[in-house]
PDB file of all heavy atoms in Angstrom:
ATOM      1  N   GLY H  71      59.841-150.713 -32.293  1.00  0.00           N
ATOM      2  CA  GLY H  71      60.742-149.603 -32.594  1.00  0.00           C
ATOM      3  C   GLY H  71      62.119-149.797 -31.998  1.00  0.00           C
ATOM      4  O   GLY H  71      63.138-149.468 -32.616  1.00  0.00           O
ATOM      5  N   GLY H  75      65.108-150.441 -34.434  1.00  0.00           N
ATOM      6  CA  GLY H  75      65.838-149.180 -34.454  1.00  0.00           C
ATOM      7  C   GLY H  75      65.118-148.076 -35.217  1.00  0.00           C
ATOM      8  O   GLY H  75      65.761-147.196 -35.780  1.00  0.00           O
ATOM      9  N   ILE H  76      63.794-148.134 -35.251  1.00  0.00           N
ATOM     10  CA  ILE H  76      62.997-147.122 -35.958  1.00  0.00           C
ATOM     11  C   ILE H  76      62.478-146.129 -34.919  1.00  0.00           C
ATOM     12  O   ILE H  76      61.612-146.455 -34.109  1.00  0.00           O
ATOM     13  CB  ILE H  76      61.836-147.774 -36.721  1.00  0.00           C
ATOM     14  CG1 ILE H  76      62.375-148.801 -37.706  1.00  0.00           C
ATOM     15  CG2 ILE H  76      61.008-146.719 -37.445  1.00  0.00           C
ATOM     16  CD1 ILE H  76      61.317-149.618 -38.401  1.00  0.00           C
ATOM     17  N   SER H  77      63.010-144.924 -34.958  1.00  0.00           N
ATOM     18  CA  SER H  77      62.706-143.955 -33.910  1.00  0.00           C
ATOM     19  C   SER H  77      61.270-143.450 -33.960  1.00  0.00           C
ATOM     20  O   SER H  77      60.704-143.098 -32.917  1.00  0.00           O
ATOM     21  CB  SER H  77      63.673-142.780 -33.973  1.00  0.00           C
ATOM     22  OG  SER H  77      63.545-142.109 -35.211  1.00  0.00           O
ATOM     23  N   ILE H  78      60.649-143.403 -35.129  1.00  0.00           N
ATOM     24  CA  ILE H  78      59.271-142.917 -35.206  1.00  0.00           C
ATOM     25  C   ILE H  78      58.315-143.867 -34.494  1.00  0.00           C
ATOM     26  O   ILE H  78      57.358-143.428 -33.847  1.00  0.00           O
ATOM     27  CB  ILE H  78      58.839-142.663 -36.675  1.00  0.00           C
ATOM     28  CG1 ILE H  78      57.508-141.929 -36.733  1.00  0.00           C
ATOM     29  CG2 ILE H  78      58.753-143.957 -37.455  1.00  0.00           C
ATOM     30  CD1 ILE H  78      57.556-140.517 -36.286  1.00  0.00           C
ATOM     31  N   LEU H  79      58.573-145.176 -34.579  1.00  0.00           N
ATOM     32  CA  LEU H  79      57.739-146.133 -33.843  1.00  0.00           C
ATOM     33  C   LEU H  79      57.937-145.984 -32.342  1.00  0.00           C
ATOM     34  O   LEU H  79      56.992-146.111 -31.567  1.00  0.00           O
ATOM     35  CB  LEU H  79      58.059-147.563 -34.280  1.00  0.00           C
ATOM     36  CG  LEU H  79      57.643-147.955 -35.687  1.00  0.00           C
ATOM     37  CD1 LEU H  79      58.020-149.397 -35.953  1.00  0.00           C
ATOM     38  CD2 LEU H  79      56.165-147.754 -35.893  1.00  0.00           C
ATOM     39  N   TRP H  80      59.165-145.726 -31.929  1.00  0.00           N
ATOM     40  CA  TRP H  80      59.474-145.504 -30.519  1.00  0.00           C
ATOM     41  C   TRP H  80      58.701-144.291 -30.003  1.00  0.00           C
ATOM     42  O   TRP H  80      58.073-144.330 -28.952  1.00  0.00           O
ATOM     43  CB  TRP H  80      60.985-145.324 -30.376  1.00  0.00           C
ATOM     44  CG  TRP H  80      61.453-145.076 -28.999  1.00  0.00           C
ATOM     45  CD1 TRP H  80      61.817-143.877 -28.475  1.00  0.00           C
ATOM     46  CD2 TRP H  80      61.612-146.034 -27.946  1.00  0.00           C
ATOM     47  NE1 TRP H  80      62.187-144.031 -27.178  1.00  0.00           N
ATOM     48  CE2 TRP H  80      62.077-145.344 -26.821  1.00  0.00           C
ATOM     49  CE3 TRP H  80      61.404-147.401 -27.861  1.00  0.00           C
ATOM     50  CZ2 TRP H  80      62.341-145.983 -25.620  1.00  0.00           C
ATOM     51  CZ3 TRP H  80      61.668-148.029 -26.662  1.00  0.00           C
ATOM     52  CH2 TRP H  80      62.125-147.327 -25.573  1.00  0.00           C
ATOM     53  N   THR H  81      58.717-143.203 -30.778  1.00  0.00           N
ATOM     54  CA  THR H  81      58.021-141.975 -30.389  1.00  0.00           C
ATOM     55  C   THR H  81      56.512-142.190 -30.337  1.00  0.00           C
ATOM     56  O   THR H  81      55.853-141.770 -29.374  1.00  0.00           O
ATOM     57  CB  THR H  81      58.352-140.851 -31.380  1.00  0.00           C
ATOM     58  OG1 THR H  81      59.769-140.689 -31.447  1.00  0.00           O
ATOM     59  CG2 THR H  81      57.718-139.545 -30.960  1.00  0.00           C
ATOM     60  N   LEU H  82      55.958-142.824 -31.347  1.00  0.00           N
ATOM     61  CA  LEU H  82      54.518-143.097 -31.355  1.00  0.00           C
ATOM     62  C   LEU H  82      54.124-144.014 -30.194  1.00  0.00           C
ATOM     63  O   LEU H  82      53.057-143.834 -29.597  1.00  0.00           O
ATOM     64  CB  LEU H  82      54.102-143.729 -32.678  1.00  0.00           C
ATOM     65  CG  LEU H  82      54.091-142.811 -33.900  1.00  0.00           C
ATOM     66  CD1 LEU H  82      53.818-143.608 -35.153  1.00  0.00           C
ATOM     67  CD2 LEU H  82      53.081-141.707 -33.729  1.00  0.00           C
TER      68      LEU H  82
END
Side-chain angles (χ1 to χ4, degrees):
I76 302 173
S77 62
I78 190 70
L79 291 180
W80 179 258
T81 304
L82 288 173

